[in-house]
Amino acid sequence: MLNENIKTIRKSKGLSQEELAIRLNVVRQTISKWETGLSVPDADLLISLSEVFEIPVSTLLGETIVEAKADDLKAISEKLEVINLQLAHRKAARQKVIHWLFIALCAVIVAILATLIVLNSPYLVWDYSQPETAVIGVVFHAFEWLFVRIAPLVLIGSIVGICLTQKKVL
């Protein structure tokens, strides 16, 4: 039913699958899969579809607007609960990815700092009479100079990010 509604409303609005895909920031094949019933849009895309088509989501889902009965309210609340659970799972997954990105950033900064400490500024003893050596030495020195000044701030920010994205234990 949803697939037929998407196709019918899209055609009535005079939109091609490609035009609808562009408006929703998805690929054309996604629209095709929705219209053939191979997949369904998630809650966010359902809302975006309703905005593009300028109709309520309930109409898109094929519901007719009638007086809300107790059973209808229960069904709607169950659908909303499912949508809320999906959004909560998506948010938790996004938070987990960001958390691990902060951890990776800390690891990279510590690894680079360790490398710089082990190398002990080797460019200071290089022979700068050769142009290539001079350029490489200046670039290496500039990188080290910037990194030593910026890395502590980024490291502190990453540690704060790790603490803020850490999963709360109840």
Side-chain angles (χ1 to χ4, degrees):
M1 176 180 262
L2 175 62
N3 59 335
E4 295 166 356
N5 288 348
I6 293 172
K7 187 174 185 177
T8 304
I9 296 170
R10 176 184 59 80
K11 286 184 175 183
S12 72
K13 297 287 184 179
L15 295 171
S16 67
Q17 287 183 345
E18 185 68 31
E19 291 169 332
L20 181 57
I22 290 170
R23 289 188 183 186
L24 295 174
N25 293 324
V26 296
V27 295
R28 186 203 55 79
Q29 290 81 358
T30 302
I31 305 298
S32 176
K33 286 181 181 179
W34 292 346
E35 291 182 357
T36 57
L38 295 176
S39 69
V40 293
D42 63 12
D44 292 335
L45 286 170
L46 272 175
I47 293 169
S48 298
L49 266 171
S50 72
E51 290 171 355
V52 169
F53 290 153
E54 298 174 339
I55 59 170
V57 174
S58 59
T59 304
L60 191 61
L61 293 172
E63 295 181 4
T64 53
I65 308 292
V66 194
E67 286 184 45
K69 299 177 186 170
D71 292 336
D72 292 340
L73 289 175
K74 184 177 179 182
I76 290 171
S77 67
E78 288 172 357
K79 287 179 185 179
L80 287 174
E81 184 177 347
V82 168
I83 290 170
N84 284 335
L85 283 173
Q86 289 173 343
L87 292 174
H89 287 297
R90 185 178 297 157
K91 181 180 178 184
R94 196 175 306 135
Q95 183 176 358
K96 186 175 181 180
V97 167
I98 291 170
H99 181 76
W100 284 105
L101 285 173
F102 279 130
I103 291 173
L105 182 60
C106 284
V108 167
I109 289 172
V110 168
I112 292 173
L113 280 172
T115 303
L116 290 175
I117 290 169
V118 168
L119 290 177
N120 196 24
S121 301
Y123 58 87
L124 295 176
V125 294
W126 289 352
D127 177 19
Y128 284 95
S129 63
Q130 304 247 335
E132 294 85 11
T133 308
V135 170
I136 293 171
V138 168
V139 169
F140 193 87
H141 179 68
F143 168 75
E144 185 180 42
W145 187 87
L146 268 173
F147 186 80
V148 167
R149 280 151 184 78
I150 295 174
L153 299 175
V154 176
L155 186 62
I156 291 169
S158 296
I159 292 170
V160 169
I162 290 169
C163 293
L164 292 177
T165 58
Q166 188 174 6
K167 200 172 195 177
K168 308 279 189 281
V169 179
L170 297 176

